[in-house]
Amino acid sequence: MVVCAGFMCLAQTAFAAQRFGQDSAVYVWMVFCMLVAFAIGFLLLARSRYPRATFVAACVVVLVFPYDPILALMALTALLARRNDMKTTVRAIVAGGFVTLAAQVRDALRPPEASIWHMVFAKPDTGSQYGTDIIMLADDRTIVITAIVAALLELAIATLAGLHIRSRALASLATAKADAQVEQLKTTIDSQQLADAIAAEAHDTLAHSLSLLALNASALQAESKKLAAEAGSLDAGQLAGQASRIADKTEEIRKQAAGALDEAHSVIDMLRHPEQAKAQLAPSDETSLTRESLDALLGDARAAGMRLNTWIDIQQLGQLNRETGKIAYRVLQEGLTNASRHAPGAPVSVELTVNPTVGVHAHVSNPTNPSVPAASADATRPAMDSKNAFRTGAGLPGLAEHVRQAGGTCRFGFDARHAFHVDVQLPWVE
């Protein structure tokens, strides 16, 4: 652009100087214009940072010096590309059009030897350089009209080019903003999903541990009351036996409290370091369904005093996808936690079938006391409506959503005998 603008300004000035003698003052002015033309193209380098000032300066230079209007047209394109308001656009097009018409008509009205437009319509091999008079193939009126039409075409091209560049820039900006908003939305969704996952992890682990802790505390309280009531009628051996059982139960409570504290620290650590939380939330041998984790889960429940009736049928458990295994483990854990909280002392039935044909089928049920209203027993206790839909705490609805996302089904609620059931079916995924 700099080279093209400088060349056209030099050419226009060279033709304009043809009609002046070398001893005239105007010829000195033309020499000065030639020197300025060598550097005037560099004015366009400021078009990105100062588009308005560059355009105004280019228009003034073209009107003052005998230059071609291409300098002003390039500055017009830059201004339209970088300014989006309608008032500036209209004013720039009008000013650019006036300067372009003035420069082209000015050249067309010069004598034939000093006019580029006359050279365009001159007969070949005629003119002073050939030692003859120049012969024109068109009259002056046609040349002027042609110059005007050319000026309007140049103005249209410069305007359309500027508007096209602007539209592309605006489209790129809109795309960039949309991409940024999408990324922000993804980040927000990921953060919310991570927060939900941490909340679910805290509920699943802490609620289960605290429920077992409450069961052991209740058993310890019962043992203590029994010992206090029978202390006078027991001999030393019986007292020692009762005291030993209380000590064992106390040690069990201490271990469970320490485990719950470790789980709380783990949750707090995930909240402090969310970038590491995904790795901590990934299935592990302790949180996924394995023979060892299943034995530990049922063993802890029995140790806490829960009466369990189990029916376990497991085949090829090692080939089960660990994500599916984690959901199945959480199903059993949530079922035992609900039973210990809402029906303490009641027997709990656990059925688990795992094989490639059936998939994963888990069922946990326990009887409840129908004489105790659900609302007064616990605010989070499940309740059945006419459509067999249930309201409960955050655990079961969240669990049902995880099961649904894994392609399974989850049903829970009371039956006609006021027994509460949690029934989950998961597909087999290796």
Side-chain angles (χ1 to χ4, degrees):
M1 293 176 65
V2 172
V3 173
C4 181
F7 175 78
M8 292 303 297
C9 290
L10 282 171
Q12 192 84 276
T13 306
F15 273 90
Q18 295 296 319
R19 57 180 174 155
F20 302 111
Q22 295 184 3
D23 297 332
S24 65
V26 180
Y27 188 82
V28 175
W29 167 249
M30 290 297 169
V31 172
F32 175 74
C33 292
M34 291 283 289
L35 295 175
V36 174
F38 280 104
I40 199 62
F42 291 97
L43 176 66
L44 295 173
L45 297 179
R47 68 189 185 280
S48 296
R49 191 169 183 179
Y50 308 106
R52 192 190 305 272
T54 301
F55 173 69
V56 172
C59 290
V60 172
V61 167
V62 171
L63 291 177
V64 173
F65 295 90
Y67 289 161
D68 188 88
I70 190 171
L71 181 70
L73 291 172
M74 289 180 175
L76 172 64
T77 298
L79 177 61
L80 295 180
R82 291 165 175 81
R83 292 294 182 267
N84 194 28
D85 59 292
M86 182 59 67
K87 185 181 293 185
T88 299
T89 299
V90 174
R91 289 178 177 177
I93 294 174
V94 171
F98 172 77
V99 171
T100 302
L101 285 171
Q104 296 290 22
V105 171
R106 179 179 61 192
D107 179 78
L109 294 177
R110 289 175 184 150
E113 295 284 350
S115 170
I116 292 179
W117 279 112
H118 280 79
M119 289 295 102
V120 172
F121 289 92
K123 184 178 180 180
D125 301 330
T126 62
S128 59
Q129 66 269 34
Y130 296 101
T132 62
D133 294 333
I134 188 170
I135 300 175
M136 301 304 301
L137 301 178
D139 56 17
D140 290 343
R141 180 181 177 183
T142 301
I143 295 175
V144 172
I145 293 175
T146 303
I148 293 174
V149 173
L152 294 177
L153 288 176
E154 291 174 342
L155 177 65
I157 293 173
T159 301
L160 292 176
L163 295 178
H164 175 67
I165 296 173
R166 178 203 295 178
S167 64
R168 289 183 59 184
L170 292 177
S172 299
L173 180 61
T175 301
K177 288 183 177 180
D179 292 341
Q181 290 177 350
V182 169
E183 289 299 323
Q184 183 179 6
L185 181 60
K186 287 182 178 179
T187 302
T188 302
I189 293 174
D190 290 343
S191 300
Q192 184 60 49
Q193 289 177 343
L194 182 60
D196 292 342
I198 294 174
E201 184 75 9
H203 176 275
D204 292 340
T205 57
L206 288 177
H208 182 71
S209 297
L210 295 176
S211 295
L212 295 181
L213 191 63
L215 277 179
N216 276 320
S218 298
L220 179 61
Q221 184 182 32
E223 290 283 346
S224 300
K225 289 182 178 180
K226 181 180 179 181
L227 179 60
E230 298 177 353
S233 60
L234 297 177
D235 56 25
Q238 292 174 327
L239 284 173
Q242 291 278 16
S244 178
R245 286 193 295 272
I246 292 176
D248 292 342
K249 190 63 67 175
T250 303
E251 177 64 16
E252 187 70 23
I253 292 175
R254 187 195 66 78
K255 291 180 179 179
Q256 290 176 346
L261 184 60
D262 290 339
E263 291 165 356
H265 285 161
S266 177
V267 172
I268 293 173
D269 187 59
M270 285 189 286
L271 293 173
R272 287 177 175 174
H273 306 285
E275 68 280 358
Q276 303 174 5
K278 291 184 178 180
Q280 294 177 261
L281 291 171
S284 64
D285 291 339
E286 296 180 353
T287 61
S288 188
L289 185 61
T290 63
R291 296 181 185 275
E292 293 76 14
S293 64
L294 179 60
D295 290 341
L297 180 64
L298 299 179
D300 290 342
R302 287 192 174 98
M306 186 177 292
R307 292 182 292 160
L308 295 181
N309 299 314
T310 59
W311 191 90
I312 310 295
D313 181 11
I314 294 177
Q315 300 176 26
Q316 303 179 30
L317 181 58
Q319 300 178 13
L320 182 65
N321 178 270
R322 300 193 74 179
E323 291 289 344
T324 304
K326 182 175 182 178
I327 296 175
Y329 180 84
R330 293 305 189 201
V331 169
L332 299 177
Q333 191 178 58
E334 183 66 22
L336 295 176
T337 300
N338 276 332
S340 65
R341 290 176 61 193
H342 305 302
V348 180
S349 297
V350 177
E351 300 178 23
L352 179 63
T353 303
V354 181
N355 61 64
T357 303
V358 177
V360 179
H361 178 241
H363 186 94
V364 181
S365 62
N366 60 272
T368 59
N369 184 3
S371 62
V372 181
S376 62
D378 196 292
T380 63
R381 182 173 179 171
M384 181 176 67
D385 63 17
S386 59
K387 294 184 179 180
N388 201 32
F390 308 94
R391 300 184 303 274
T392 184
L396 286 174
L399 180 66
E401 179 62 21
H402 285 306
V403 172
R404 185 191 65 79
Q405 291 177 355
T409 58
C410 178
R411 299 171 60 237
F412 54 87
F414 294 100
D415 62 15
R417 298 183 179 181
H418 295 277
F420 190 77
H421 300 264
V422 178
D423 189 89
V424 170
Q425 179 70 49
L426 290 165
W428 180 271
V429 180
E430 295 186 0

